[in-house]
Amino acid sequence: MKIIGFDAWYQSTVDNTYSASGLTSWIRVGSNMKGGHVDYYLQGEGTMRKLYNPAGGSSSTALSKKVATFRVCGPNYTGGDACTPWNVPATS
């Protein structure tokens, strides 16, 4: 999933086939210039979570539940965020 702003892009990836001891998914967010974030919900939970990335870098984390839905966001120049629509991760 990718969003392109006026002078920067923000990208997020979800892998719900990830497998490690006690972990079932993996999520990443990155950008080329400014810091962004990915908003996401885990399956069976109602709390929105966020993962932030540093400007021009990326962040990732492995999770103990699968990601149900996610969107990637970046600053919108009016003090808020510009976000993609909510997306369901691919299952394969």
Side-chain angles (χ1 to χ4, degrees):
M1 180 60 43
K2 189 172 189 175
I3 187 172
I4 299 173
F6 294 107
D7 62 353
W9 56 258
Y10 309 90
Q11 186 171 2
S12 182
T13 305
V14 171
D15 181 358
N16 271 346
T17 64
Y18 180 84
S19 180
S21 180
L23 303 170
T24 61
S25 66
W26 174 86
I27 191 167
R28 177 194 171 276
V29 62
S31 65
N32 67 332
M33 292 181 68
K34 299 181 179 185
H37 67 274
V38 60
D39 298 333
Y40 63 98
Y41 288 91
L42 297 177
Q43 289 180 354
E45 293 188 5
T47 301
M48 186 176 72
R49 298 169 181 245
K50 293 178 182 274
L51 177 64
Y52 292 89
N53 69 288
S58 65
S59 297
S60 65
T61 191
L63 304 161
S64 60
K65 293 183 178 181
K66 294 189 181 300
V67 175
T69 187
F70 72 107
R71 66 182 182 180
V72 64
C73 304
N76 69 2
Y77 300 101
T78 62
D81 290 331
C83 299
T84 64
W86 287 97
N87 293 277
V88 175
T91 55
S92 60

